[in-house]
Amino acid sequence: MDKLAHKLLNKGLRKNRVRAKVSGTPERPRLSVTVSNRHIIAQVIDDTQHKTVAYISTVGTKVAKGSMTERAAWVGTEIAKKAKAAKVTAVVFDR
């Protein structure tokens, strides 16, 4: 098994292990954050209805020019605004 395949396998195992324990409900949806080398994506997910309640990404935005710290701060404030608009007050953090 080459190095990349091994990394992807381990990533999948970690994801499945966390997802087996963490689940979003309508009262407390799941907050999933994905960080790549260039972008940050955050989404609030209701797993019982299989719906995304709020979503924000740095892909295709003007904030994509700043540092990763600035991008993370922006994504955090924007996802909080969108979640509050969707009447979400508490979330379960998924990594």
Side-chain angles (χ1 to χ4, degrees):
M1 180 180 297
D2 62 338
K3 189 174 181 179
L4 179 61
H6 189 64
K7 280 177 68 172
L8 292 175
L9 175 68
N10 285 342
K11 181 180 177 182
L13 290 173
R14 279 192 309 272
K15 179 182 176 183
N16 291 336
R17 184 171 56 239
V18 170
R19 288 288 292 120
K21 297 175 185 174
V22 176
S23 180
T25 63
E27 298 82 29
R28 195 165 174 196
R30 177 170 55 97
L31 173 63
S32 176
V33 179
T34 305
V35 180
S36 72
N37 289 339
R38 289 183 169 184
H39 297 289
I40 300 173
I41 300 165
Q43 54 185 343
V44 177
I45 306 162
D46 178 8
D47 289 319
T48 57
Q49 298 178 357
H50 305 289
K51 299 282 183 181
T52 299
V53 178
Y55 171 84
I56 193 71
S57 172
T58 58
V59 178
T61 61
K62 293 181 182 179
V63 77
K65 302 284 186 197
S67 68
M68 282 298 279
T69 306
E70 294 167 352
R71 294 179 206 179
W74 180 81
V75 166
T77 56
E78 292 298 314
I79 196 70
K81 288 178 188 174
K82 288 190 175 192
K84 197 174 244 187
K87 298 181 181 172
V88 174
T89 57
V91 296
V92 174
F93 187 67
D94 176 16
R95 284 181 290 142

